[in-house]
Amino acid sequence: LILCVHEAMNAGRLRPELTDALTVAQTLWGALHGASALFITFEADPWVRLAPFDDASRLMRAAVMRGVLRDPT
């Protein structure tokens, strides 16, 4: 993941203020891990109502990527 982040940085795809590939990679990993952990932990809990995993993970990925990708304008 760190190598992918480095490639994205070198290609100018990420916001210019994001200069630490390790921090960006850990943040992306943490976001996906968090969504997955919630689903795994509470999937069968009758007291917790979860959105479908595909929907939640798709939204989380879009939100995180909007935060790190360079503005296309």
Side-chain angles (χ1 to χ4, degrees), residues 33-53:
H33 180 273
S36 300
L38 284 173
F39 189 78
I40 291 167
T41 302
F42 296 110
E43 175 183 24
D45 190 322
W47 294 98
V48 178
R49 183 170 168 246
L50 293 173
F53 179 74

Side-chain angles (χ1 to χ4, degrees), residues 2-73:
I2 295 168
L3 292 175
C4 291
V5 170
H6 270 295
E7 286 181 21
M9 287 177 162
N10 291 338
R13 302 278 321 249
L14 301 186
R15 299 171 78 79
E17 66 270 19
L18 299 176
T19 59
D20 184 352
L22 178 62
T23 300
V24 173
Q26 285 179 349
T27 301
L28 297 174
W29 179 27
L32 185 56
H33 180 273
S36 300
L38 284 173
F39 189 78
I40 291 167
T41 302
F42 296 110
E43 175 183 24
D45 190 322
W47 294 98
V48 178
R49 183 170 168 246
L50 293 173
F53 179 74
D54 288 346
D55 296 343
S57 65
R58 187 175 15 262
L59 176 59
M60 182 278 309
R61 287 191 313 268
V64 170
M65 294 311 292
R66 283 192 185 112
V68 299
L69 292 178
R70 182 183 290 271
D71 189 355
T73 58

